[in-house]
Amino acid sequence: MGSWALLWPPLLFTGLLAQAQYCSVNKDIFEVEENTNVTEPLVDIHVPEGQEVTLGALSTPFAFRIQGNQLFLNVTPDYEEKSLLEAQLLCQSGGTLVTQLRVFVSVLDVNDNAPEFPFKTKEIRVEEDTKVNSTVIPETQLQAEDRDKDDILFYTLQEMTAGASDYFSLVSVNRPALRLDRPLDFYERPNMTFWLLVRDTPGENVEPSHTATATLVLNVVPADLRPPWFLPCTFSDGYVCIQAQYHGAVPTGHILPSPLVLRPGPIYAEDGDRGINQPIIYSIFRGNVNGTFIIHPDSGNLTVARSVPSPMTFLLLVKGQQADLARYSVTQVTVEAVAAAGSPPRFPQRLYRGTVARGAGAGVVVKDAAAPSQPLRIQAQDPEFSDLNSAITYRITNHSHFRMEGEVVLTTTTLAQAGAFYAEVEAHNTVTSGTATTVIEIQVSEQEPPSTGGGPSEDKRFSVVDMAALGGVLGALLLLALLGLAVLVHKHYGPRLKCCSGKAPEPQPQGFDNQAFLPDHKANWAPVPSPTHDPKPAEAPMPAEPAPPGPASPGGAPEPPAAARAGGSPTAVRSILTKERRPEGGYKAVWFGEDIGTEADVVVLNAPTLDVDGASDSGSGDEGEGAGRGGGPYDAPGGDDSYI
């Protein structure tokens, strides 16, 4: 022990001497978070006297620098670019390498990158008959990428089509495989759209957090799930349609020239999978006794191939099969062969009316007089079998100017004269040989010559300038007429309008009471006394100006007696309304004049029938009021109107 103690000081001195001859650092491994800007020196380098330190070729390019005897980080580290940085320190003395040191910087990853989908929109086709719980899109096709180390991604599927989330979902929040949850229906939802969201944190409140989105479009491809359906059919649900059965009738002993008319309609089927819509092929596979009927394989039209000698019923089973032979359906067609009575065809009208323009050439269609834009159609019907209507032909029997083409009437020559033509039309049933006739009245009318300019027809009798001049003249005449009317109104009614211009007349209440004579509780009015027996008649208040004579009014007040007898002027007889009212409505009127003495008549108005002017506040009456009544004031003495 004592010998070791004696040897320790020399060894320590030797170690210190060796350290002093070589370069050294206190620490050679460092950790720095990415995106950190380190401005302080990483480490101090001990460099012996007479030596110098430099960066070796093995150093990460541009990552470090040496200032003095200190090592600095020269870049902002990025984990995604370089996760480990290395500095090689070379100590040399006179060009001779003395010491070689290595310093490492480990870059720590932080969450600084958002995840990314390898697509913006992914559109896929999904078969309608895909099984439930099967994976529609695998996880590898929907995964997002995140350059940050060890980031865990969380996925969310949000519907953009209402109700789409009932059909699809993700396997888990961290596994974005798309799974089918319920059966698809092409007719209910032919396509659905989703929004796929990914986040690099468990929730929105975790910072830092980054997201990315993509769109998923799922197009449902129809599968061949349903057989053909004969129309019309009724859906019992969204998948099964209760198809139609057909009924018809044929006459015995005849072959119909056209397909049978069936109820509720012609034989027709369509593919139950309308998205596939395979063509349908028709055939009769049972019930066609003696090959009586033929069905067209493409249209389904049922025709009679041979006549039926006696009444019977056919129960035909008709098959509608898809052109790809994958699926088919069967329906029943009931056809009754009925003995025909051979009734002739019948016209629904005894007389048809048509019209055609004069000068029309050959081959012009006769129009319907009731609807001139439509051609006149002559149609007869078989009273027993509507199927025989197509076997009816038509011809005109008594006129060479017209002919029948099917159900339409055509001209055979140019019609030069206007007038009415009558033609007989014969309908002939080519199956039963029955005939019927009707009459057509064809009116050949005048017509303006057709336009030759190629454009819309114009009225060439007046030009635009002529019409403008005419409009100006008419406008000037209208203005002169209005001015003349204004002068006449001012001349005859100017004073009265001036009197009443301050206030518009108020509406009269029921009973036509004069509002100017309603009771006034603040004034003590008294009825005007009757004229006395003085030699001269009593003076009465006169209006400032006499009212001009007005026209007779059927509902006016009764005529004053003096005027009634003598037909005097407006100044000969005057009238005023008193304040005294009658119980049944209205006011008493007093008639007076210069030549009226003690026998002046006082007329009591039962129902005021004066016009607005006669009931105005001025109290003046118009000449001849009441002249239009059924009788004069003497026609009904003792009636409702009393005379004194």
Side-chain angles (χ1 to χ4, degrees):
M1 183 65 183
S3 60
W4 283 104
L6 293 175
L7 292 175
W8 175 251
L11 292 175
L12 180 60
F13 176 77
T14 303
L16 293 174
L17 181 61
Q19 182 179 6
Q21 295 176 353
Y22 298 98
C23 293
S24 62
V25 293
N26 295 330
K27 185 179 180 181
D28 57 2
I29 297 178
F30 300 89
E31 290 184 347
V32 178
E33 287 188 350
E34 64 173 326
N35 305 324
T36 302
N37 186 16
V38 181
T39 59
E40 300 296 327
L42 287 177
V43 66
D44 292 333
I45 307 172
H46 173 70
V47 181
E49 185 178 353
Q51 297 184 16
E52 61 179 4
V53 60
T54 59
L55 291 173
L58 298 180
S59 300
T60 302
F62 311 108
F64 300 94
R65 74 177 186 274
I66 297 176
Q67 291 182 352
N69 291 333
Q70 292 180 322
L71 180 65
F72 288 86
L73 191 61
N74 200 39
V75 296
T76 300
D78 187 347
Y79 176 84
E80 287 73 35
E81 292 184 1
K82 195 75 173 179
S83 60
L84 183 65
L85 305 178
E86 178 183 355
Q88 183 185 27
L89 304 180
L90 301 178
C91 290
Q92 297 178 349
S93 176
T96 302
L97 180 62
V98 178
T99 308
Q100 179 178 338
L101 301 175
R102 300 178 68 185
V103 177
F104 297 95
V105 176
S106 177
V107 181
L108 301 180
D109 184 30
V110 297
N111 187 12
D112 64 339
N113 292 286
E116 296 179 356
F117 283 106
F119 57 89
K120 290 294 184 182
T121 300
K122 180 179 285 293
E123 187 170 355
I124 64 169
R125 294 160 56 91
V126 183
E127 294 290 336
E128 184 183 14
D129 56 352
T130 302
K131 294 183 178 179
V132 175
N133 294 327
S134 60
T135 299
V136 176
I137 306 178
E139 179 180 352
T140 55
Q141 295 185 18
L142 296 180
Q143 281 180 331
E145 298 177 356
D146 193 337
R147 295 191 299 167
D148 294 325
K149 181 182 179 182
D150 299 330
D151 269 2
I152 299 177
L153 301 181
F154 301 86
Y155 297 88
T156 304
L157 188 67
Q158 298 179 359
E159 66 177 29
M160 297 179 67
T161 302
S165 58
D166 296 337
Y167 291 87
F168 296 96
S169 64
L170 298 178
V171 172
S172 70
V173 69
N174 302 119
R175 295 185 57 195
L178 191 66
R179 177 181 58 196
L180 179 64
D181 295 333
R182 61 177 292 183
L184 296 173
D185 188 340
F186 172 78
Y187 306 104
E188 183 177 353
R189 296 188 183 277
N191 51 68
M192 287 169 270
T193 305
F194 292 91
W195 191 43
L196 184 61
L197 172 69
V198 63
R199 187 184 302 275
D200 56 8
T201 57
E204 298 180 359
N205 298 326
V206 180
E207 293 295 339
S209 180
H210 305 90
T211 61
T213 59
T215 302
L216 298 180
V217 180
L218 307 178
N219 297 317
V220 180
V221 179
D224 196 354
L225 304 175
R226 305 166 184 85
W229 290 329
F230 285 94
L231 303 181
C233 65
T234 304
F235 281 94
S236 60
D237 53 23
Y239 300 93
V240 178
C241 190
I242 302 175
Q243 57 192 8
Q245 294 187 355
Y246 304 92
H247 301 270
V250 296
T252 58
H254 299 289
I255 298 178
L256 300 179
S258 60
L260 270 66
V261 178
L262 303 175
R263 302 184 309 274
I267 299 173
Y268 179 75
E270 66 177 15
D271 192 345
D273 300 296
R274 293 191 296 273
I276 299 176
N277 199 23
Q278 275 283 317
I280 306 301
I281 300 174
Y282 304 92
S283 62
I284 302 174
F285 72 95
R286 187 176 300 174
N288 193 9
V289 179
N290 298 326
T292 305
F293 301 97
I294 298 175
I295 191 169
H296 194 280
D298 298 327
S299 66
N301 287 335
L302 189 66
T303 56
V304 179
R306 59 180 62 187
S307 62
V308 182
S310 59
M312 62 180 299
T313 300
F314 295 87
L315 298 179
L316 306 178
L317 294 183
V318 175
K319 180 171 69 173
Q321 188 172 27
Q322 295 178 187
D324 60 2
L325 307 181
R327 297 179 182 274
Y328 69 91
S329 291
V330 176
T331 190
Q332 179 174 288
V333 180
T334 302
V335 181
E336 295 184 1
V338 182
S343 300
R346 295 177 183 175
F347 285 100
Q349 298 178 222
R350 300 180 65 180
L351 177 65
Y352 291 82
R353 289 182 171 88
T355 180
V356 67
R358 184 175 69 87
V364 176
V365 177
V366 175
K367 302 295 184 180
D368 192 337
S373 62
Q374 302 295 326
L376 177 64
R377 292 189 177 276
I378 311 299
Q379 294 176 329
Q381 299 176 353
D382 187 279
E384 295 179 294
F385 296 95
S386 58
D387 304 81
L388 295 176
N389 292 341
S390 60
I392 299 176
T393 60
Y394 304 90
R395 70 185 183 95
I396 292 179
T397 62
N398 66 340
H399 211 295
S400 60
H401 288 0
F402 305 96
R403 65 181 178 87
M404 296 296 300
E405 185 172 290
E407 301 172 349
V408 179
V409 184
L410 301 179
T411 60
T412 60
T413 184
T414 301
L415 303 176
Q417 295 182 353
F421 295 87
Y422 294 85
E424 182 185 70
V425 177
E426 180 187 76
H428 174 69
N429 192 323
T430 57
V431 175
T432 63
S433 300
T435 61
T437 59
T438 189
V439 176
I440 311 175
E441 178 189 84
I442 303 174
Q443 188 72 35
V444 179
S445 59
E446 296 288 345
Q447 175 180 290
E448 291 294 332
S451 174
T452 58
S457 61
E458 297 180 342
D459 190 350
K460 300 298 183 179
R461 291 175 293 179
F462 301 102
S463 66
V464 176
V465 177
D466 295 336
M467 297 302 293
L470 178 61
V473 172
L474 293 177
L477 293 176
L478 178 61
L479 179 60
L480 292 176
L482 291 176
L483 291 175
L485 180 61
V487 170
L488 291 176
V489 171
H490 183 269
K491 180 178 179 181
H492 292 282
Y493 298 99
R496 187 174 304 174
L497 294 175
K498 185 182 301 182
C499 172
C500 303
S501 61
K503 180 180 179 182
E506 297 182 358
Q508 300 292 333
Q510 187 174 3
F512 303 99
D513 291 341
N514 193 332
Q515 300 298 322
F517 293 96
L518 287 178
D520 187 357
H521 301 288
K522 295 184 180 180
N524 186 14
W525 284 25
V528 176
S530 300
T532 62
H533 294 277
D534 294 338
K536 290 184 66 177
E539 294 292 329
M542 301 295 290
E545 292 185 12
S553 174
E559 190 179 28
R565 297 188 188 97
S569 64
T571 58
V573 179
R574 299 289 182 181
S575 68
I576 63 172
L577 294 177
T578 69
K579 182 67 183 297
E580 185 176 357
R581 297 189 56 167
R582 301 197 63 198
E584 62 273 18
Y587 300 89
K588 295 181 180 180
V590 179
W591 303 91
F592 61 91
E594 295 180 355
D595 57 347
I596 297 179
T598 57
E599 293 83 16
D601 294 338
V602 177
V603 180
V604 179
L605 298 180
N606 180 30
T609 55
L610 294 173
D611 56 12
V612 176
D613 294 337
S616 63
D617 292 344
S618 65
S620 62
D622 292 340
E623 178 188 7
E625 289 182 347
R629 294 181 55 185
Y634 304 101
D635 291 346
D640 292 337
D641 295 341
S642 59
Y643 304 92
I644 302 174

